């Protein structure tokens, strides 16, 4: 039930909507108040909130999984990379929840029993796995934050300046982008479990911009650089720092004073190929380029630079457009990180296997524009890239933080069309690690045609073998006796039309003997003759208790391209003098027998096309992987990969 009392400092009414709320801040005098039964105790004045352009406010409403909630409180925290808000939600079923809007991402969570003892804060490192409330999570961030202010009603006592050791985790199981947070400022630590959802999923109402309280997110705020006076624009509440495009000074964007984070570093000025402020049309929406940085990895004394463009959309948040050697990728943060064991050659994401390609220490060389963290020249991250073209999965780690992102390859002409660029972009050089194999589609077509032609060949061979071909014209039994030199004449047979082939088959009862045959095929009407010689031999026995055999009792002869007519065979036999015994021979004459040799030759010819196409595809992949520093079998190509990985893993992967 709601509780109402007057502020002991200014007398203004203070309403606690939830019976679980015992702490609040008077919205008129900013006094910190604690409930004691029906009385309010004043603990002193709460520090003012830092100005931001968050669309949320006290009194904002929304829905989560069909249940309505209202925003009744907020605490504002500062950490090394900037500030973020934690909004306290009161649901219609009297549950309390928390909504974080850090970095343009919206994370909702609820106080949940951990289900098991928790490790110490100092013992947790990025990439560590932890089971909370029966679910598997991966540590992605650990921060020692500071509560700097608050407002509204809250379920616990707090004051500006209290430290909070926080660990963020992402679910590695289930389909949804699960999220968890452990708050070590309490004893025992508090565990909050929930999920990451897009802004639109909450169906918010009564937002701040609807009441004219501030400029809505996505509207540019114009400011001046305190160093050179140059114009600076801020596009979103999540922007934590801005690098002046005029003097390159890095400034803190937490408030309008734009305090200096890093003085300009002497560097060769880089003009981005896509200027800041350019608007590109991707995925059906307009994205504005608000930040640009150049990063580099050094390997064996050689620098490998690439450029990253930070894109902003008022509702969708932030994306990256990355260019390396003229190749482009559209990069999206991964809300559900994959499980990865350090040193393994691959990682699974969305049931796709990504093979490790390279690793190293990325150093920021140049920055201009706006960023969602306190960027600085010289900052380093340990990066491991995995590829499954046309996608690339990148893991970036520091001592306290771990993040994953997914890059989709973009053809250069799509980038030019999206920004309507008139000046051509630099031509791509070499093969990008996630560049689609241009020969793969042709290979798929060749393979598809191969299977179609193979099917036709099999059907044609089967039709010829079982239906159209192989008609027997003569089936006659002959006996060849020793001492009889007279030739033997077979039955006559008729070819009503020309025959592609005519097969004469012998099936004898030879036993450790041989039979020589002189064959003459005669066309009865014209007297035209075709002659051939054949020998049949079959030997068998045993040697040392093992049986052996040599030769065959059967033999075939083929006569090709015979015209129509009436035919017969004249056979002149010769029996071995060493074993002068009679030999029985069953003769068959078959016309247009299916020729398996031609069928197999056709298969060889057909298989040659996909094999050559496969070779071309493999040659492209060989060219791609020759620049990788990590073998798919799990071995390193060079020491730079090992050094880079060990540096990133000092954050806790080991």
């Amino acid at each position: 039930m709601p509780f109402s009392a007057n502020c002991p400092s200014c007398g203004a009414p203070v309403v606690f909507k939830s019976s679980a709320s015992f702490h609040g801040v008077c919205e008129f005098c900013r006094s910190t108040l604690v409930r004691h039964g029906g009385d309010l105790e004043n603990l002193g004045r709460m520090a003012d909130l830092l100005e931001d352009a968050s669309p949320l406010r006290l009194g904002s409403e929304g829905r989560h999984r069909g249940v309505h909630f209202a925003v009744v409180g907020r605490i504002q925290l500062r950490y090394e990379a900037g500030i973020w808000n934690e909004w306290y939600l009161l649901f219609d079923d009297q549950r309390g929840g928390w909504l974080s809007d850090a970095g343009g991402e919206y994370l909702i969570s609820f106080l949940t029993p951990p289900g098991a003892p928790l490790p110490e804060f100092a013992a947790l490192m990025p990439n560590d796995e932890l089971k909370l409330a029966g679910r598997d999570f991966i540590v992605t961030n650990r921060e020692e934050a500071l509560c700097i202010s608050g407002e509204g009603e809250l379920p616990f006592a707090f004051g500006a300046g209290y430290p909070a050791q926080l660990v963020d985790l992402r679910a590695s199981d289930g389909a949804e982008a699960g999220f968890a947070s452990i708050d070590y400022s309490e004893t025992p630590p508090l565990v909050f479990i929930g999920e990451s959802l897009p802004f639109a999923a909450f169906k918010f109402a009564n937002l701040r911009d609807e009441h004219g309280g501030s400029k809505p997110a996505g509207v540019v705020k114009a400011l001046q650089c305190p160093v050179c006076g140059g114009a600076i624009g801020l596009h979103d509440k999540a922007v934590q720092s801005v690098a002046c495009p005029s003097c390159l000074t890095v400034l803190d964007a937490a408030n309008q004073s734009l305090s200096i984070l890093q003085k300009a570093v002497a560097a060769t000025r880089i003009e981005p190929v896509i200027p800041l402020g350019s608007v590109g049309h991707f995925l059906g929406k307009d994205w504005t380029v608000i930040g640009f940085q150049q990063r580099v990895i050094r390997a064996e004394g050689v620098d490998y630079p690439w450029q990253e463009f930070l894109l902003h959309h008022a509702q969708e948040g932030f994306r990256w457009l990355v260019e390396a050697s003229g190749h482009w990728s559209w990069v999206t943060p991964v809300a559900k990180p994959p499980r990865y064991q350090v040193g393994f050659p691959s990682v699974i994401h969305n049931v796709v296997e990504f093979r490790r390609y390279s690793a190293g220490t990325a150093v920021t060389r140049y920055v201009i524009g706006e960023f969602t963290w306190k960027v600085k020249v010289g900052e380093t991250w340990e990066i491991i890239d995995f590829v499954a073209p046309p996608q690339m999965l990148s893991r970036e780690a520091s001592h306290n933080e771990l993040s994953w992102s997914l890059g989709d390859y973009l053809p250069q002409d799509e980038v030019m069309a999206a920004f309507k660029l008139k000046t051509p972009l630099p031509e791509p050089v070499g093969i990008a690690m996630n560049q689609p194999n241009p020969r793969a589609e042709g290979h798929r077509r060749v393979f598809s045609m191969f299977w179609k032609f193979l099917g036709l060949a099999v059907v044609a061979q089967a039709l010829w073998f079982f239906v159209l071909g192989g008609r027997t014209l003569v089936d006659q039994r002959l006996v060849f006796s020793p001492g009889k030199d007279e030739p033997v004449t077979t039955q006559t047979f008729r070819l009503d039309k020309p025959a592609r082939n005519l097969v004469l088959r012998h099936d004898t009862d030879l036993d450790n003997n041989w039979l020589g045959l002189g064959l003459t095929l005669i066309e009865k009407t014209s007297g035209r003759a075709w002659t051939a010689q054949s020998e049949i031999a079959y030997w068998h026995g045993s040697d040392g208790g093992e049986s052996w055999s040599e030769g065959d009792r059967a033999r075939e002869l083929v006569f090709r391209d015979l015209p129509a007519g009436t035919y017969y065979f004249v056979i002149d036999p010769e029996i071995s003098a060493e074993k002068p015994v009679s030999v029985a021979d069953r003769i068959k004459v078959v016309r247009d027998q299916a020729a398996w040799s031609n069928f197999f030759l056709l298969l060889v010819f057909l298989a040659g096309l996909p094999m050559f196409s496969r070779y071309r595809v493999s040659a492209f992949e060989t060219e791609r992987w020759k620049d990788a520093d990590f073998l798919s079998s799990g071995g390193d190509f060079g020491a730079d990969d090992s050094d880079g990985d060990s540096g990133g893993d000092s954050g806790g992967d080991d």
Side-chain angles (χ1 to χ4, degrees):
M1 294 293 292
F3 167 79
S4 178
N6 293 326
C7 173
S9 177
C10 69
V14 178
V15 178
F16 289 82
K17 297 182 177 65
S18 171
S19 59
S21 298
F22 292 93
H23 192 95
V25 178
C26 176
E27 62 177 311
F28 295 97
C29 68
R30 302 287 298 159
S31 293
T32 305
L33 307 174
V34 178
R35 285 175 55 183
H36 295 288
D39 299 323
L40 296 179
E41 179 186 357
N42 186 357
L43 299 182
R45 189 178 186 279
M46 175 63 69
D48 290 334
L49 292 158
L50 293 180
E51 179 186 354
D52 64 22
S54 173
L56 298 178
R57 57 186 283 273
L58 296 186
S60 293
E61 301 174 63
R63 303 187 73 85
H64 177 251
R65 298 191 179 276
V67 182
H68 172 269
F69 64 80
V71 177
V72 298
R74 164 169 68 153
I75 58 174
Q76 196 172 65
L77 300 103
R78 182 194 298 277
Y79 67 118
E80 185 179 359
I83 64 170
W84 85 91
N85 295 312
E86 293 283 353
W87 299 93
Y88 182 55
L89 313 178
L90 179 61
F91 285 78
D92 286 356
D93 56 11
Q94 293 304 301
R95 287 181 302 138
W98 291 91
L99 181 65
S100 168
D101 61 353
E105 184 180 17
Y106 289 84
L107 304 163
I108 188 168
S109 60
F110 303 88
L111 183 63
T112 307
L118 297 172
E120 296 294 328
F121 174 78
L124 288 175
M125 293 293 175
N127 206 49
D128 285 352
E129 295 188 10
L130 194 63
K131 186 175 285 291
L132 297 172
R135 294 191 61 184
D136 294 326
F137 288 88
I138 296 173
V139 176
T140 57
N141 191 22
R142 59 190 297 275
E143 294 288 349
E144 298 197 29
L146 191 70
C147 175
I148 57 177
S149 189
E151 64 176 336
E153 57 183 279
L154 296 162
F156 55 82
F158 78 102
Y162 85 84
Q165 293 179 321
L166 303 172
V167 175
D168 288 341
L169 309 95
R170 301 288 178 146
S172 58
D173 62 355
E176 74 279 1
F179 167 80
S181 179
I182 307 175
D183 182 357
Y184 282 89
S185 64
E186 300 284 341
T187 304
L190 302 178
V191 174
F192 300 86
I193 296 179
E195 58 187 324
S196 172
L197 292 171
F199 181 82
F202 292 100
K203 297 181 172 58
F204 284 119
N206 200 25
L207 295 172
R208 185 188 301 187
D209 59 283
E210 296 174 0
H211 295 263
S214 72
K215 301 181 77 171
V219 177
V220 179
K221 180 187 292 185
L223 300 171
Q224 282 188 323
C225 174
V227 177
C228 69
I232 293 176
L234 298 180
H235 287 75
D236 195 275
K237 68 174 183 65
V239 170
Q240 299 290 332
S241 62
V242 56
C244 176
S246 301
C247 67
L248 306 184
T249 301
V250 182
L251 307 167
D252 188 345
N255 52 61
Q256 295 191 22
S257 64
L258 294 177
S259 57
I260 298 174
L261 288 175
Q262 184 180 43
K263 292 185 178 180
V265 177
T268 302
R269 181 172 291 276
I270 299 175
E271 291 297 332
V273 293
I274 303 175
L276 295 185
S278 300
V279 177
H281 193 74
F282 296 97
L283 304 176
K285 296 179 175 61
D286 290 332
W287 298 80
T288 304
V289 179
I290 65 170
F292 169 83
Q293 66 175 346
Q294 185 189 74
R295 305 170 81 188
V296 64
I297 287 179
R298 169 163 287 197
E300 298 180 354
V302 179
D303 286 345
Y304 296 91
W306 71 94
Q307 282 66 239
E308 298 181 352
F309 298 81
L310 181 58
L311 308 184
H312 173 258
H313 184 273
Q315 282 76 44
E316 297 296 325
F318 301 91
R319 299 292 186 273
W320 289 96
L321 191 61
V322 177
E323 181 271 332
S325 300
H327 298 274
W328 296 82
S329 293
W330 176 267
V331 179
T332 306
V334 174
K336 182 186 175 185
R339 276 181 167 169
Y340 171 63
Q341 187 168 346
V342 174
F344 270 44
S346 64
V347 65
I348 304 296
H349 177 64
N350 289 341
V351 305
V352 177
E353 181 181 17
F354 289 76
R355 294 170 56 197
R356 176 173 164 170
Y357 187 91
S358 63
T361 302
V363 182
T364 302
R365 287 274 186 89
Y366 187 90
V367 294
I368 56 174
E370 306 164 53
F371 297 89
T372 55
W373 74 99
K374 286 182 168 41
V375 70
K376 62 181 179 180
V377 174
E379 70 178 4
T380 60
W381 289 81
E382 302 303 324
I383 296 181
I384 308 177
D385 290 322
F386 304 82
V387 298
Q391 292 187 317
M392 173 175 62
L393 193 62
S394 297
R395 174 187 185 271
E396 299 194 25
S398 67
H399 185 72
N400 288 328
E401 190 172 350
L402 171 68
S403 64
W404 290 82
S405 59
L406 185 66
D408 290 274
Y409 188 86
L410 279 181
Q412 186 189 82
D413 55 355
E414 289 189 20
V415 178
M416 291 194 63
F419 287 99
K420 299 180 180 179
L421 299 176
K422 296 181 179 179
T423 303
L425 294 171
E427 287 297 319
V429 177
I431 298 175
M433 65 178 74
N434 64 326
Q435 180 179 353
N437 193 321
R439 302 167 184 171
E441 183 58 34
H443 177 64
R444 282 190 288 269
R445 289 197 297 268
V446 169
F447 231 88
S448 176
M449 294 300 296
F450 165 75
W451 288 113
K452 291 178 182 177
F453 280 115
L454 177 61
L456 289 174
V458 170
V459 170
Q461 182 73 2
L463 185 65
W464 187 261
F465 188 83
F466 293 106
V467 180
L468 301 178
R471 184 160 62 93
T472 300
L473 305 177
V474 174
D475 187 350
Q476 183 177 359
R477 185 178 180 84
L478 301 176
V479 177
F480 304 120
S481 301
K484 292 185 179 181
D485 297 332
E486 296 84 1
V488 178
T489 302
T490 67
Q491 301 170 356
T492 60
F493 55 91
R494 176 74 182 168
L495 295 180
D496 297 327
K497 58 182 178 179
R500 184 171 56 85
N501 63 61
L502 191 71
V503 178
L504 174 61
R505 296 178 184 171
H506 296 275
D507 191 0
T508 71
D509 62 353
L510 283 172
D511 183 40
N512 284 323
N513 204 355
W514 62 269
L515 174 67
L517 298 171
L519 303 168
T520 304
L521 174 64
I522 300 173
E523 200 284 307
K524 188 174 182 180
T525 303
S526 64
R528 187 178 176 183
W530 291 262
T531 62
Q533 294 290 329
S534 180
E535 183 177 291
I536 308 172
Y538 179 71
W539 311 91
H540 67 94
S542 62
D543 186 6
E546 294 185 3
S547 299
W548 60 271
S549 63
E550 181 179 349
D552 199 344
R553 292 188 174 100
R555 179 63 61 89
E556 285 188 356
L557 271 78
V558 180
F559 297 83
R560 301 186 182 280
D561 301 322
L562 299 176
T566 301
Y567 292 84
Y568 61 92
F569 277 99
V570 176
I571 303 175
D572 187 6
E574 180 184 358
I575 299 176
S576 170
E578 287 79 9
K579 191 176 181 180
V581 296
S582 298
V583 177
D585 183 8
R586 183 180 181 181
I587 293 175
K588 281 188 177 183
V589 178
V590 181
R591 69 162 294 162
D592 294 332
Q593 177 178 279
W596 288 100
S597 59
N598 291 341
F599 175 72
F600 289 122
L601 287 174
L602 176 61
L603 292 188
V604 171
F605 171 76
L606 290 176
L609 298 178
M611 289 176 64
F612 176 71
S613 176
R614 178 71 246 178
Y615 166 77
R616 295 182 70 247
V617 170
S618 298
F620 185 91
E621 292 302 320
T622 300
E623 186 70 15
R624 180 207 306 278
W625 285 92
K626 75 176 185 180
D627 293 326
D629 64 3
F630 195 80
L631 292 168
S632 61
S633 61
D636 290 331
F637 276 124
D640 282 279
D641 175 45
S642 175
D643 294 343
D645 206 26
S646 64
D649 296 336
S650 65
D653 293 342
D654 297 336

